[in-house]
Amino acid sequence: MTALPPIREVIARHGLSASKALGQNFLLDEQLLARIAAIPGDLSDRAVLEVGPGPGGLTRALLKAGARVTAIEMDRRCLPALAELGEAFPGRLSVIEGDALKLDQGAAMGGEPFAVLSNLPYNVGTALFVKWLSGEQWPPQWTSLTLMFQREVAERIVAQPGTGAYGRLAVLAQWRAEAKLALKVHRSAFTPPPKVMSAVVHISPAEAPAGVSARVLERLTEAAFGQRRKMLRQSLKGVPGALDALARLGIDETRRAETLAVADFVALARALHQNQ
Ligand code: SAM
């Protein structure tokens, strides 16, 4: 591997002024980037999908960790910098120009299991996260998700019942996966610094509970948390069979959604699925 110039220099040389519209806040600190790349464990010769490589700070850390990286970037101004990085790691980096929300990930990764790592563009982060976690196929093709979010969103993902942060994202992330807050990142670590703090969450698939449809669970949490201040008997009124299922499971219908454990939502979704 040839010596690589600091990312700050790469940004300057390629004139990569950060675009707000594309959610660009770059990470330049190599130590921090190496710590993020280490979160999923040993990456040697593993396939990694990176969303939004930008000038390539995290990409470089992933390559140094031995990964084979497929990176999708929407901003074509970044492509020459990424091409240079690819030359320094021959055959290990493939860059796709495009929108990650539209990517056929299975095809892009050649059917191989892959880890996802990304300093996500905040404007598309949640949409991508929901897409990764809501497929009916489980375990999914991805083996882990290591994702930077605004800290408030990261806290919602790992939230426990009875807290204000607990809601759809927590249930989605926890009902058949393990979600943990892996690293808090100060806003000053980014160039330019965003207004809010960030955090990296790490998600690994767990065994899916039997007899539960992701679609039914999604409908249930949408209704329950759509009116989170209301009692379940009100918020779940429009979900056919839900009130009967509450009674059968011995869940008090005067409770509110945020008091139910993830396992309660799973049991409800299973009962509804059996009814269909
Ligand atoms: N990975 C770099 C880093 O850590 O310094 C850049 C992170 S920056 C927060 C987000 C990157 O995602 C930007 O480079 C932006 O152009 C790119 N991006 C934004 N929307 C995208 C999308 N829909 N698909 C792919 N890349 C996108």
Side-chain angles (χ1 to χ4, degrees):
M1 186 185 67
T2 44
L4 292 161
I7 283 287
R8 191 179 293 282
E9 210 178 294
V10 173
I11 291 173
R13 188 157 41 82
H14 292 277
L16 300 176
S17 54
S19 145
K20 215 171 178 177
L22 286 170
Q24 290 181 339
N25 301 96
F26 301 134
L27 287 171
L28 313 179
D29 177 342
E30 288 195 28
Q31 271 182 10
L32 173 64
L33 289 161
R35 278 173 73 194
I36 296 172
I39 291 171
D42 184 8
L43 288 180
S44 10
D45 209 35
R46 278 178 62 193
V48 168
L49 172 66
E50 187 195 357
V51 178
L58 180 59
T59 324
R60 182 190 286 197
L62 295 168
L63 290 164
K64 280 187 182 167
R68 290 176 283 115
V69 181
T70 301
I72 173 151
E73 173 56 61
M74 227 169 139
D75 182 356
R76 62 167 47 161
R77 293 179 310 153
C78 297
L79 301 184
L82 293 167
E84 274 175 21
L85 189 55
E87 279 163 26
F89 294 87
R92 302 194 78 84
L93 173 63
S94 123
V95 179
I96 301 169
E97 182 192 347
D99 182 348
L101 284 167
K102 298 188 185 141
L103 180 72
D104 176 347
Q105 296 184 11
M109 303 309 290
E112 189 182 10
F114 58 95
V116 177
L117 281 97
S118 176
N119 173 12
L120 286 169
Y122 289 150
N123 45 357
V124 291
T126 313
L128 279 170
F129 180 75
V130 169
K131 187 172 156 187
W132 278 315
L133 281 154
S134 39
E136 292 289 346
Q137 181 207 323
W138 207 264
Q141 200 182 333
W142 52 265
T143 52
S144 64
L145 305 173
T146 305
L147 310 169
M148 179 85 75
F149 281 105
Q150 289 168 260
R151 197 173 293 174
E152 179 253 325
V153 176
E155 277 162 3
R156 284 201 271 140
I157 290 169
V158 301
Q160 294 301 304
T163 63
Y166 183 67
R168 287 173 69 188
L169 279 186
V171 177
L172 183 66
Q174 297 174 31
W175 76 276
R176 53 182 177 174
E178 278 173 24
K180 63 171 202 252
L181 209 153
L183 189 66
K184 290 184 177 174
V185 183
H186 197 272
R187 51 189 287 280
S188 63
F190 298 87
T191 303
K195 289 204 176 69
V196 293
M197 298 295 192
S198 294
V200 179
V201 291
H202 182 68
I203 317 264
S204 344
E207 199 170 325
V212 179
S213 143
R215 202 175 33 81
V216 171
L217 187 73
E218 172 64 15
R219 222 176 52 215
L220 198 59
T221 51
E222 193 182 329
F225 289 106
Q227 303 182 63
R228 59 184 296 138
R229 298 273 150 234
K230 299 260 170 69
M231 292 178 192
L232 293 167
R233 71 171 170 226
Q234 174 65 28
S235 58
L236 295 184
K237 212 162 59 181
V239 182
L243 300 189
D244 286 346
L246 282 177
R248 261 184 292 134
L249 293 166
I251 299 174
D252 184 346
E253 62 176 21
T254 65
R255 286 169 65 182
R256 288 183 301 165
E258 68 188 37
T259 71
L260 260 59
V262 173
D264 292 328
F265 281 107
V266 165
L268 269 174
R270 183 181 290 121
L272 289 183
H273 194 49
Q274 280 159 359
N275 270 0
Q276 281 179 348

